[in-house]
Amino acid sequence: MTTSFIYRYLPGEQAETLLLLHGTGGNENDLLEIGRAVLPGAGLLSPRGRVLENGMPRFFRRLSEGVFDVEDVKARAAELGQFVREMAVEHQFDPARVMPLGYSNGANIAAAMLLMGAARFPRAVLIRPMVPLEPESAPDLTGCEVLLARGLYDPLATAEQTARLRELLEADGATVTEHASRSSHQMVQADIEAAATWLARQ
Ligand code: MLT
């Protein structure tokens, strides 16, 4: 299978590659600057979601706000995992050193990839994630570190959603760190700073 996403790839000077995953209505350009800011020197791989909702790109279908098409989530997470592997061959980066940084819908597809074992990531930054699916099987996420960045006043990615996602990830062996910003669903500077600090740890 060859997957085709519209994407940007900016090579880095380091072995790490950030997989940048935009929110609903975004595109492959949205997170490039943030990617550069949080991990200077990393390569950047930034696909555009292939699902269109009223013309707005997303990474999977939803039935209504916060109600996801779980079969589509599964298929799209697998497809994105395949895309990353193909890009690693094409652009010659190490697939074992790819780390997603996703916002909102992008955080949700990254969470789905983790929970389904669609790709192995050493670290993942999920900004305003929800629970994209309740997985049927448990991948081994031992050694995987995840930052969950929530907004204290977020009506979508609520504290309960974050807590459930944390529980699922930890049950699979991941190490989870939480950060809470004084914001709603919108990403703010404090999220970017928290991600940069967290990624800079050895
Ligand atoms: C969004 O607006 O993108 C939602 O909050 C998250 C999603 O639908 O995946």
Side-chain angles (χ1 to χ4, degrees):
M1 174 176 76
T2 299
T3 49
S4 69
F5 282 79
I6 294 169
Y7 72 96
R8 296 279 304 272
Y9 174 69
L10 303 182
E13 297 125 32
Q14 290 179 16
E16 283 79 23
T17 299
L18 283 177
L19 172 64
L20 301 174
L21 301 167
H22 63 77
T24 301
N27 66 37
E28 64 282 10
N29 297 311
D30 279 17
L31 298 178
L32 293 174
E33 254 181 58
I34 289 173
R36 275 283 175 262
V38 298
L39 196 59
L44 303 176
L45 175 65
S46 188
R48 183 191 300 181
R50 279 158 44 100
V51 170
L52 283 182
E53 183 186 274
N54 301 322
M56 296 187 295
R58 287 176 51 85
F59 287 97
F60 57 82
R61 271 177 17 97
R62 64 179 165 181
L63 306 175
S64 61
E65 187 153 274
V67 183
F68 304 141
D69 178 337
V70 173
E71 288 314 308
D72 196 59
V73 173
K74 290 182 192 166
R76 303 280 175 183
E79 179 185 70
L80 195 52
Q82 177 68 19
F83 169 74
V84 172
R85 287 186 285 279
E86 288 172 8
M87 290 297 100
V89 174
E90 186 166 330
H91 297 291
Q92 305 206 323
F93 59 78
D94 183 351
R97 303 191 70 171
V98 174
M99 303 183 285
L101 181 149
Y103 165 62
S104 187
N105 181 243
N108 289 343
I109 194 73
M113 290 169 86
L114 287 167
L115 294 173
M116 289 175 51
R120 272 195 82 82
F121 299 123
R123 287 180 178 179
V125 176
L126 310 184
I127 301 173
R128 312 291 184 273
M130 300 163 74
V131 179
L133 77 166
E134 291 283 339
E136 285 143 25
S137 56
D140 181 8
L141 296 182
T142 310
C144 173
E145 300 176 310
V146 184
L147 176 65
L148 301 181
R150 67 186 177 88
L152 283 172
Y153 318 116
D154 190 337
L156 292 172
T158 57
E160 290 72 30
Q161 289 272 337
T162 313
R164 178 63 185 146
L165 181 57
R166 177 176 194 150
E167 199 172 68
L168 290 169
L169 291 167
E170 287 181 338
D172 293 341
T175 304
V176 177
T177 304
E178 263 182 62
H179 176 268
S181 293
R182 291 188 177 283
S183 83
S184 181
H185 196 61
Q186 203 179 349
M187 186 185 340
V188 292
Q189 185 62 26
D191 295 301
I192 298 167
E193 285 163 15
T197 306
W198 186 78
L199 286 168
R201 290 165 316 125
Q202 293 307 307

PDB file of all heavy atoms in Angstrom, residues 80-117:
ATOM      1  N   LEU A  80      -1.794   6.363   8.812  1.00  0.00           N
ATOM      2  CA  LEU A  80      -0.782   7.370   9.155  1.00  0.00           C
ATOM      3  C   LEU A  80       0.514   6.693   9.614  1.00  0.00           C
ATOM      4  O   LEU A  80       1.620   7.157   9.300  1.00  0.00           O
ATOM      5  CB  LEU A  80      -1.339   8.306  10.233  1.00  0.00           C
ATOM      6  CG  LEU A  80      -0.604   9.611  10.487  1.00  0.00           C
ATOM      7  CD1 LEU A  80      -0.366  10.429   9.217  1.00  0.00           C
ATOM      8  CD2 LEU A  80      -1.377  10.458  11.505  1.00  0.00           C
ATOM      9  N   GLY A  81       0.376   5.582  10.330  1.00  0.00           N
ATOM     10  CA  GLY A  81       1.560   4.814  10.728  1.00  0.00           C
ATOM     11  C   GLY A  81       2.328   4.331   9.505  1.00  0.00           C
ATOM     12  O   GLY A  81       3.564   4.423   9.437  1.00  0.00           O
ATOM     13  N   GLN A  82       1.598   3.867   8.520  1.00  0.00           N
ATOM     14  CA  GLN A  82       2.206   3.402   7.265  1.00  0.00           C
ATOM     15  C   GLN A  82       2.887   4.558   6.529  1.00  0.00           C
ATOM     16  O   GLN A  82       3.998   4.420   6.011  1.00  0.00           O
ATOM     17  CB  GLN A  82       1.090   2.779   6.398  1.00  0.00           C
ATOM     18  CG  GLN A  82       1.510   2.313   5.021  1.00  0.00           C
ATOM     19  CD  GLN A  82       2.440   1.110   5.080  1.00  0.00           C
ATOM     20  OE1 GLN A  82       2.488   0.419   6.099  1.00  0.00           O
ATOM     21  NE2 GLN A  82       3.189   0.891   4.015  1.00  0.00           N
ATOM     22  N   PHE A  83       2.230   5.699   6.524  1.00  0.00           N
ATOM     23  CA  PHE A  83       2.791   6.896   5.888  1.00  0.00           C
ATOM     24  C   PHE A  83       4.139   7.261   6.522  1.00  0.00           C
ATOM     25  O   PHE A  83       5.115   7.548   5.821  1.00  0.00           O
ATOM     26  CB  PHE A  83       1.798   8.051   6.023  1.00  0.00           C
ATOM     27  CG  PHE A  83       2.353   9.403   5.646  1.00  0.00           C
ATOM     28  CD1 PHE A  83       2.569   9.744   4.318  1.00  0.00           C
ATOM     29  CD2 PHE A  83       2.658  10.345   6.628  1.00  0.00           C
ATOM     30  CE1 PHE A  83       3.087  10.997   3.968  1.00  0.00           C
ATOM     31  CE2 PHE A  83       3.165  11.589   6.288  1.00  0.00           C
ATOM     32  CZ  PHE A  83       3.393  11.919   4.956  1.00  0.00           C
ATOM     33  N   VAL A  84       4.196   7.235   7.860  1.00  0.00           N
ATOM     34  CA  VAL A  84       5.447   7.588   8.547  1.00  0.00           C
ATOM     35  C   VAL A  84       6.560   6.616   8.134  1.00  0.00           C
ATOM     36  O   VAL A  84       7.684   7.031   7.840  1.00  0.00           O
ATOM     37  CB  VAL A  84       5.245   7.590  10.086  1.00  0.00           C
ATOM     38  CG1 VAL A  84       6.578   7.758  10.813  1.00  0.00           C
ATOM     39  CG2 VAL A  84       4.286   8.705  10.493  1.00  0.00           C
ATOM     40  N   ARG A  85       6.240   5.342   8.068  1.00  0.00           N
ATOM     41  CA  ARG A  85       7.264   4.358   7.674  1.00  0.00           C
ATOM     42  C   ARG A  85       7.728   4.613   6.239  1.00  0.00           C
ATOM     43  O   ARG A  85       8.917   4.542   5.929  1.00  0.00           O
ATOM     44  CB  ARG A  85       6.731   2.927   7.843  1.00  0.00           C
ATOM     45  CG  ARG A  85       6.633   2.517   9.300  1.00  0.00           C
ATOM     46  CD  ARG A  85       6.243   1.065   9.466  1.00  0.00           C
ATOM     47  NE  ARG A  85       4.832   0.827   9.194  1.00  0.00           N
ATOM     48  CZ  ARG A  85       3.851   1.051  10.076  1.00  0.00           C
ATOM     49  NH1 ARG A  85       4.117   1.534  11.271  1.00  0.00           N
ATOM     50  NH2 ARG A  85       2.588   0.803   9.760  1.00  0.00           N
ATOM     51  N   GLU A  86       6.788   4.922   5.356  1.00  0.00           N
ATOM     52  CA  GLU A  86       7.163   5.205   3.958  1.00  0.00           C
ATOM     53  C   GLU A  86       8.026   6.463   3.849  1.00  0.00           C
ATOM     54  O   GLU A  86       8.995   6.511   3.094  1.00  0.00           O
ATOM     55  CB  GLU A  86       5.906   5.372   3.095  1.00  0.00           C
ATOM     56  CG  GLU A  86       5.189   4.070   2.844  1.00  0.00           C
ATOM     57  CD  GLU A  86       3.846   4.264   2.152  1.00  0.00           C
ATOM     58  OE1 GLU A  86       3.524   5.406   1.733  1.00  0.00           O
ATOM     59  OE2 GLU A  86       3.118   3.276   2.031  1.00  0.00           O
ATOM     60  N   MET A  87       7.660   7.478   4.626  1.00  0.00           N
ATOM     61  CA  MET A  87       8.429   8.734   4.584  1.00  0.00           C
ATOM     62  C   MET A  87       9.839   8.534   5.131  1.00  0.00           C
ATOM     63  O   MET A  87      10.792   9.169   4.679  1.00  0.00           O
ATOM     64  CB  MET A  87       7.694   9.818   5.391  1.00  0.00           C
ATOM     65  CG  MET A  87       6.417  10.319   4.761  1.00  0.00           C
ATOM     66  SD  MET A  87       6.694  11.143   3.166  1.00  0.00           S
ATOM     67  CE  MET A  87       6.253   9.835   2.036  1.00  0.00           C
ATOM     68  N   ALA A  88       9.964   7.649   6.138  1.00  0.00           N
ATOM     69  CA  ALA A  88      11.287   7.376   6.720  1.00  0.00           C
ATOM     70  C   ALA A  88      12.217   6.789   5.655  1.00  0.00           C
ATOM     71  O   ALA A  88      13.399   7.130   5.590  1.00  0.00           O
ATOM     72  CB  ALA A  88      11.154   6.426   7.904  1.00  0.00           C
ATOM     73  N   VAL A  89      11.665   5.946   4.793  1.00  0.00           N
ATOM     74  CA  VAL A  89      12.475   5.368   3.715  1.00  0.00           C
ATOM     75  C   VAL A  89      12.783   6.459   2.685  1.00  0.00           C
ATOM     76  O   VAL A  89      13.936   6.669   2.298  1.00  0.00           O
ATOM     77  CB  VAL A  89      11.722   4.182   3.051  1.00  0.00           C
ATOM     78  CG1 VAL A  89      12.494   3.673   1.836  1.00  0.00           C
ATOM     79  CG2 VAL A  89      11.492   3.070   4.067  1.00  0.00           C
ATOM     80  N   GLU A  90      11.755   7.188   2.281  1.00  0.00           N
ATOM     81  CA  GLU A  90      11.940   8.189   1.225  1.00  0.00           C
ATOM     82  C   GLU A  90      12.903   9.306   1.648  1.00  0.00           C
ATOM     83  O   GLU A  90      13.753   9.728   0.873  1.00  0.00           O
ATOM     84  CB  GLU A  90      10.576   8.782   0.850  1.00  0.00           C
ATOM     85  CG  GLU A  90      10.691   9.724  -0.334  1.00  0.00           C
ATOM     86  CD  GLU A  90       9.325  10.046  -0.932  1.00  0.00           C
ATOM     87  OE1 GLU A  90       8.417   9.196  -0.867  1.00  0.00           O
ATOM     88  OE2 GLU A  90       9.199  11.166  -1.452  1.00  0.00           O
ATOM     89  N   HIS A  91      12.755   9.796   2.878  1.00  0.00           N
ATOM     90  CA  HIS A  91      13.578  10.939   3.318  1.00  0.00           C
ATOM     91  C   HIS A  91      14.731  10.522   4.228  1.00  0.00           C
ATOM     92  O   HIS A  91      15.439  11.381   4.755  1.00  0.00           O
ATOM     93  CB  HIS A  91      12.697  11.978   4.022  1.00  0.00           C
ATOM     94  CG  HIS A  91      11.659  12.577   3.118  1.00  0.00           C
ATOM     95  ND1 HIS A  91      11.971  13.413   2.078  1.00  0.00           N
ATOM     96  CD2 HIS A  91      10.308  12.425   3.090  1.00  0.00           C
ATOM     97  CE1 HIS A  91      10.848  13.780   1.452  1.00  0.00           C
ATOM     98  NE2 HIS A  91       9.828  13.195   2.045  1.00  0.00           N
ATOM     99  N   GLN A  92      14.849   9.220   4.422  1.00  0.00           N
ATOM    100  CA  GLN A  92      15.993   8.666   5.164  1.00  0.00           C
ATOM    101  C   GLN A  92      16.150   9.227   6.569  1.00  0.00           C
ATOM    102  O   GLN A  92      17.211   9.713   6.942  1.00  0.00           O
ATOM    103  CB  GLN A  92      17.271   8.889   4.355  1.00  0.00           C
ATOM    104  CG  GLN A  92      17.115   8.315   2.961  1.00  0.00           C
ATOM    105  CD  GLN A  92      18.426   7.917   2.343  1.00  0.00           C
ATOM    106  OE1 GLN A  92      19.420   8.582   2.533  1.00  0.00           O
ATOM    107  NE2 GLN A  92      18.412   6.837   1.604  1.00  0.00           N
ATOM    108  N   PHE A  93      15.051   9.188   7.318  1.00  0.00           N
ATOM    109  CA  PHE A  93      15.165   9.461   8.756  1.00  0.00           C
ATOM    110  C   PHE A  93      14.845   8.186   9.516  1.00  0.00           C
ATOM    111  O   PHE A  93      14.303   7.234   8.958  1.00  0.00           O
ATOM    112  CB  PHE A  93      14.292  10.656   9.182  1.00  0.00           C
ATOM    113  CG  PHE A  93      12.814  10.520   8.905  1.00  0.00           C
ATOM    114  CD1 PHE A  93      11.994   9.759   9.717  1.00  0.00           C
ATOM    115  CD2 PHE A  93      12.233  11.189   7.819  1.00  0.00           C
ATOM    116  CE1 PHE A  93      10.634   9.651   9.462  1.00  0.00           C
ATOM    117  CE2 PHE A  93      10.865  11.081   7.557  1.00  0.00           C
ATOM    118  CZ  PHE A  93      10.075  10.312   8.388  1.00  0.00           C
ATOM    119  N   ASP A  94      15.205   8.189  10.802  1.00  0.00           N
ATOM    120  CA  ASP A  94      15.057   6.984  11.616  1.00  0.00           C
ATOM    121  C   ASP A  94      13.610   6.888  12.133  1.00  0.00           C
ATOM    122  O   ASP A  94      13.196   7.731  12.933  1.00  0.00           O
ATOM    123  CB  ASP A  94      16.057   7.074  12.784  1.00  0.00           C
ATOM    124  CG  ASP A  94      16.035   5.827  13.656  1.00  0.00           C
ATOM    125  OD1 ASP A  94      15.147   4.981  13.473  1.00  0.00           O
ATOM    126  OD2 ASP A  94      16.909   5.734  14.539  1.00  0.00           O
ATOM    127  N   PRO A  95      12.839   5.876  11.714  1.00  0.00           N
ATOM    128  CA  PRO A  95      11.437   5.787  12.152  1.00  0.00           C
ATOM    129  C   PRO A  95      11.316   5.560  13.657  1.00  0.00           C
ATOM    130  O   PRO A  95      10.278   5.854  14.254  1.00  0.00           O
ATOM    131  CB  PRO A  95      10.878   4.595  11.361  1.00  0.00           C
ATOM    132  CG  PRO A  95      12.069   3.805  10.952  1.00  0.00           C
ATOM    133  CD  PRO A  95      13.225   4.758  10.832  1.00  0.00           C
ATOM    134  N   ALA A  96      12.387   5.080  14.289  1.00  0.00           N
ATOM    135  CA  ALA A  96      12.350   4.840  15.735  1.00  0.00           C
ATOM    136  C   ALA A  96      12.548   6.142  16.521  1.00  0.00           C
ATOM    137  O   ALA A  96      12.425   6.156  17.739  1.00  0.00           O
ATOM    138  CB  ALA A  96      13.424   3.827  16.129  1.00  0.00           C
ATOM    139  N   ARG A  97      12.876   7.229  15.824  1.00  0.00           N
ATOM    140  CA  ARG A  97      13.099   8.505  16.523  1.00  0.00           C
ATOM    141  C   ARG A  97      12.095   9.556  16.082  1.00  0.00           C
ATOM    142  O   ARG A  97      12.373  10.753  16.105  1.00  0.00           O
ATOM    143  CB  ARG A  97      14.525   8.960  16.308  1.00  0.00           C
ATOM    144  CG  ARG A  97      15.438   7.838  16.799  1.00  0.00           C
ATOM    145  CD  ARG A  97      16.841   8.196  16.895  1.00  0.00           C
ATOM    146  NE  ARG A  97      17.124   9.133  17.954  1.00  0.00           N
ATOM    147  CZ  ARG A  97      18.373   9.428  18.306  1.00  0.00           C
ATOM    148  NH1 ARG A  97      19.372   8.850  17.702  1.00  0.00           N
ATOM    149  NH2 ARG A  97      18.603  10.293  19.250  1.00  0.00           N
ATOM    150  N   VAL A  98      10.931   9.072  15.679  1.00  0.00           N
ATOM    151  CA  VAL A  98       9.838   9.978  15.304  1.00  0.00           C
ATOM    152  C   VAL A  98       8.970  10.224  16.539  1.00  0.00           C
ATOM    153  O   VAL A  98       8.608   9.292  17.249  1.00  0.00           O
ATOM    154  CB  VAL A  98       8.981   9.377  14.168  1.00  0.00           C
ATOM    155  CG1 VAL A  98       7.758  10.242  13.887  1.00  0.00           C
ATOM    156  CG2 VAL A  98       9.820   9.202  12.911  1.00  0.00           C
ATOM    157  N   MET A  99       8.649  11.494  16.785  1.00  0.00           N
ATOM    158  CA  MET A  99       7.821  11.848  17.943  1.00  0.00           C
ATOM    159  C   MET A  99       6.674  12.725  17.478  1.00  0.00           C
ATOM    160  O   MET A  99       6.919  13.788  16.888  1.00  0.00           O
ATOM    161  CB  MET A  99       8.667  12.623  18.952  1.00  0.00           C
ATOM    162  CG  MET A  99       9.880  11.826  19.385  1.00  0.00           C
ATOM    163  SD  MET A  99      10.841  12.688  20.620  1.00  0.00           S
ATOM    164  CE  MET A  99      11.622  13.911  19.610  1.00  0.00           C
ATOM    165  N   PRO A 100       5.440  12.308  17.685  1.00  0.00           N
ATOM    166  CA  PRO A 100       4.335  13.168  17.280  1.00  0.00           C
ATOM    167  C   PRO A 100       4.154  14.364  18.206  1.00  0.00           C
ATOM    168  O   PRO A 100       4.343  14.253  19.419  1.00  0.00           O
ATOM    169  CB  PRO A 100       3.112  12.246  17.342  1.00  0.00           C
ATOM    170  CG  PRO A 100       3.488  11.146  18.241  1.00  0.00           C
ATOM    171  CD  PRO A 100       4.987  11.030  18.248  1.00  0.00           C
ATOM    172  N   LEU A 101       3.807  15.479  17.603  1.00  0.00           N
ATOM    173  CA  LEU A 101       3.329  16.643  18.353  1.00  0.00           C
ATOM    174  C   LEU A 101       1.994  16.986  17.699  1.00  0.00           C
ATOM    175  O   LEU A 101       1.948  17.411  16.539  1.00  0.00           O
ATOM    176  CB  LEU A 101       4.305  17.818  18.259  1.00  0.00           C
ATOM    177  CG  LEU A 101       3.882  19.066  19.053  1.00  0.00           C
ATOM    178  CD1 LEU A 101       5.101  19.826  19.545  1.00  0.00           C
ATOM    179  CD2 LEU A 101       3.010  20.003  18.235  1.00  0.00           C
ATOM    180  N   GLY A 102       0.917  16.716  18.413  1.00  0.00           N
ATOM    181  CA  GLY A 102      -0.403  16.903  17.826  1.00  0.00           C
ATOM    182  C   GLY A 102      -1.240  17.841  18.660  1.00  0.00           C
ATOM    183  O   GLY A 102      -1.139  17.865  19.897  1.00  0.00           O
ATOM    184  N   TYR A 103      -2.063  18.592  17.958  1.00  0.00           N
ATOM    185  CA  TYR A 103      -2.984  19.509  18.637  1.00  0.00           C
ATOM    186  C   TYR A 103      -4.428  19.115  18.324  1.00  0.00           C
ATOM    187  O   TYR A 103      -4.780  18.953  17.134  1.00  0.00           O
ATOM    188  CB  TYR A 103      -2.712  20.955  18.189  1.00  0.00           C
ATOM    189  CG  TYR A 103      -3.844  21.892  18.555  1.00  0.00           C
ATOM    190  CD1 TYR A 103      -4.188  22.097  19.888  1.00  0.00           C
ATOM    191  CD2 TYR A 103      -4.589  22.531  17.569  1.00  0.00           C
ATOM    192  CE1 TYR A 103      -5.245  22.907  20.234  1.00  0.00           C
ATOM    193  CE2 TYR A 103      -5.649  23.358  17.903  1.00  0.00           C
ATOM    194  CZ  TYR A 103      -5.984  23.542  19.230  1.00  0.00           C
ATOM    195  OH  TYR A 103      -7.039  24.331  19.573  1.00  0.00           O
ATOM    196  N   SER A 104      -5.248  18.948  19.323  1.00  0.00           N
ATOM    197  CA  SER A 104      -6.676  18.695  19.178  1.00  0.00           C
ATOM    198  C   SER A 104      -6.932  17.460  18.303  1.00  0.00           C
ATOM    199  O   SER A 104      -6.554  16.356  18.710  1.00  0.00           O
ATOM    200  CB  SER A 104      -7.355  19.960  18.631  1.00  0.00           C
ATOM    201  OG  SER A 104      -8.748  19.820  18.634  1.00  0.00           O
ATOM    202  N   ASN A 105      -7.496  17.615  17.129  1.00  0.00           N
ATOM    203  CA  ASN A 105      -7.722  16.437  16.297  1.00  0.00           C
ATOM    204  C   ASN A 105      -6.399  15.719  15.999  1.00  0.00           C
ATOM    205  O   ASN A 105      -6.348  14.486  15.942  1.00  0.00           O
ATOM    206  CB  ASN A 105      -8.433  16.847  14.994  1.00  0.00           C
ATOM    207  CG  ASN A 105      -8.716  15.668  14.090  1.00  0.00           C
ATOM    208  OD1 ASN A 105      -8.198  15.596  12.986  1.00  0.00           O
ATOM    209  ND2 ASN A 105      -9.511  14.725  14.553  1.00  0.00           N
ATOM    210  N   GLY A 106      -5.326  16.492  15.832  1.00  0.00           N
ATOM    211  CA  GLY A 106      -4.002  15.892  15.607  1.00  0.00           C
ATOM    212  C   GLY A 106      -3.500  15.135  16.832  1.00  0.00           C
ATOM    213  O   GLY A 106      -2.841  14.098  16.707  1.00  0.00           O
ATOM    214  N   ALA A 107      -3.812  15.640  18.027  1.00  0.00           N
ATOM    215  CA  ALA A 107      -3.447  14.922  19.252  1.00  0.00           C
ATOM    216  C   ALA A 107      -4.258  13.633  19.350  1.00  0.00           C
ATOM    217  O   ALA A 107      -3.769  12.603  19.815  1.00  0.00           O
ATOM    218  CB  ALA A 107      -3.705  15.803  20.470  1.00  0.00           C
ATOM    219  N   ASN A 108      -5.498  13.694  18.897  1.00  0.00           N
ATOM    220  CA  ASN A 108      -6.361  12.514  18.979  1.00  0.00           C
ATOM    221  C   ASN A 108      -5.900  11.396  18.045  1.00  0.00           C
ATOM    222  O   ASN A 108      -5.931  10.227  18.417  1.00  0.00           O
ATOM    223  CB  ASN A 108      -7.808  12.897  18.667  1.00  0.00           C
ATOM    224  CG  ASN A 108      -8.419  13.718  19.790  1.00  0.00           C
ATOM    225  OD1 ASN A 108      -7.892  13.735  20.900  1.00  0.00           O
ATOM    226  ND2 ASN A 108      -9.520  14.393  19.504  1.00  0.00           N
ATOM    227  N   ILE A 109      -5.459  11.748  16.842  1.00  0.00           N
ATOM    228  CA  ILE A 109      -4.976  10.678  15.948  1.00  0.00           C
ATOM    229  C   ILE A 109      -3.655  10.124  16.485  1.00  0.00           C
ATOM    230  O   ILE A 109      -3.408   8.914  16.409  1.00  0.00           O
ATOM    231  CB  ILE A 109      -4.865  11.152  14.464  1.00  0.00           C
ATOM    232  CG1 ILE A 109      -4.705   9.950  13.516  1.00  0.00           C
ATOM    233  CG2 ILE A 109      -3.728  12.123  14.243  1.00  0.00           C
ATOM    234  CD1 ILE A 109      -5.906   9.127  13.307  1.00  0.00           C
ATOM    235  N   ALA A 110      -2.826  10.987  17.075  1.00  0.00           N
ATOM    236  CA  ALA A 110      -1.572  10.489  17.667  1.00  0.00           C
ATOM    237  C   ALA A 110      -1.875   9.544  18.828  1.00  0.00           C
ATOM    238  O   ALA A 110      -1.251   8.482  18.965  1.00  0.00           O
ATOM    239  CB  ALA A 110      -0.700  11.658  18.128  1.00  0.00           C
ATOM    240  N   ALA A 111      -2.858   9.914  19.658  1.00  0.00           N
ATOM    241  CA  ALA A 111      -3.255   9.044  20.775  1.00  0.00           C
ATOM    242  C   ALA A 111      -3.778   7.712  20.247  1.00  0.00           C
ATOM    243  O   ALA A 111      -3.478   6.638  20.790  1.00  0.00           O
ATOM    244  CB  ALA A 111      -4.315   9.734  21.632  1.00  0.00           C
ATOM    245  N   ALA A 112      -4.551   7.769  19.151  1.00  0.00           N
ATOM    246  CA  ALA A 112      -5.078   6.527  18.558  1.00  0.00           C
ATOM    247  C   ALA A 112      -3.931   5.651  18.056  1.00  0.00           C
ATOM    248  O   ALA A 112      -3.943   4.428  18.234  1.00  0.00           O
ATOM    249  CB  ALA A 112      -6.045   6.857  17.423  1.00  0.00           C
ATOM    250  N   MET A 113      -2.927   6.275  17.439  1.00  0.00           N
ATOM    251  CA  MET A 113      -1.780   5.500  16.949  1.00  0.00           C
ATOM    252  C   MET A 113      -1.077   4.798  18.110  1.00  0.00           C
ATOM    253  O   MET A 113      -0.681   3.639  18.007  1.00  0.00           O
ATOM    254  CB  MET A 113      -0.786   6.412  16.218  1.00  0.00           C
ATOM    255  CG  MET A 113      -1.332   6.918  14.886  1.00  0.00           C
ATOM    256  SD  MET A 113      -0.301   8.225  14.207  1.00  0.00           S
ATOM    257  CE  MET A 113       0.920   7.263  13.322  1.00  0.00           C
ATOM    258  N   LEU A 114      -0.929   5.518  19.232  1.00  0.00           N
ATOM    259  CA  LEU A 114      -0.295   4.920  20.411  1.00  0.00           C
ATOM    260  C   LEU A 114      -1.143   3.762  20.936  1.00  0.00           C
ATOM    261  O   LEU A 114      -0.636   2.663  21.158  1.00  0.00           O
ATOM    262  CB  LEU A 114      -0.140   5.975  21.512  1.00  0.00           C
ATOM    263  CG  LEU A 114       0.943   7.033  21.294  1.00  0.00           C
ATOM    264  CD1 LEU A 114       0.762   8.180  22.279  1.00  0.00           C
ATOM    265  CD2 LEU A 114       2.332   6.422  21.453  1.00  0.00           C
ATOM    266  N   LEU A 115      -2.427   4.010  21.124  1.00  0.00           N
ATOM    267  CA  LEU A 115      -3.296   3.010  21.764  1.00  0.00           C
ATOM    268  C   LEU A 115      -3.507   1.779  20.900  1.00  0.00           C
ATOM    269  O   LEU A 115      -3.844   0.708  21.392  1.00  0.00           O
ATOM    270  CB  LEU A 115      -4.658   3.636  22.106  1.00  0.00           C
ATOM    271  CG  LEU A 115      -4.641   4.730  23.176  1.00  0.00           C
ATOM    272  CD1 LEU A 115      -6.009   5.395  23.296  1.00  0.00           C
ATOM    273  CD2 LEU A 115      -4.223   4.156  24.535  1.00  0.00           C
ATOM    274  N   MET A 116      -3.335   1.934  19.582  1.00  0.00           N
ATOM    275  CA  MET A 116      -3.492   0.790  18.670  1.00  0.00           C
ATOM    276  C   MET A 116      -2.166   0.146  18.312  1.00  0.00           C
ATOM    277  O   MET A 116      -2.132  -0.844  17.582  1.00  0.00           O
ATOM    278  CB  MET A 116      -4.131   1.254  17.370  1.00  0.00           C
ATOM    279  CG  MET A 116      -5.576   1.634  17.496  1.00  0.00           C
ATOM    280  SD  MET A 116      -6.088   2.276  15.899  1.00  0.00           S
ATOM    281  CE  MET A 116      -5.554   0.978  14.789  1.00  0.00           C
ATOM    282  N   GLY A 117      -1.060   0.764  18.740  1.00  0.00           N
ATOM    283  CA  GLY A 117       0.248   0.240  18.331  1.00  0.00           C
ATOM    284  C   GLY A 117       0.490   0.417  16.843  1.00  0.00           C
ATOM    285  O   GLY A 117       1.197  -0.374  16.213  1.00  0.00           O
TER     286      GLY A 117
END
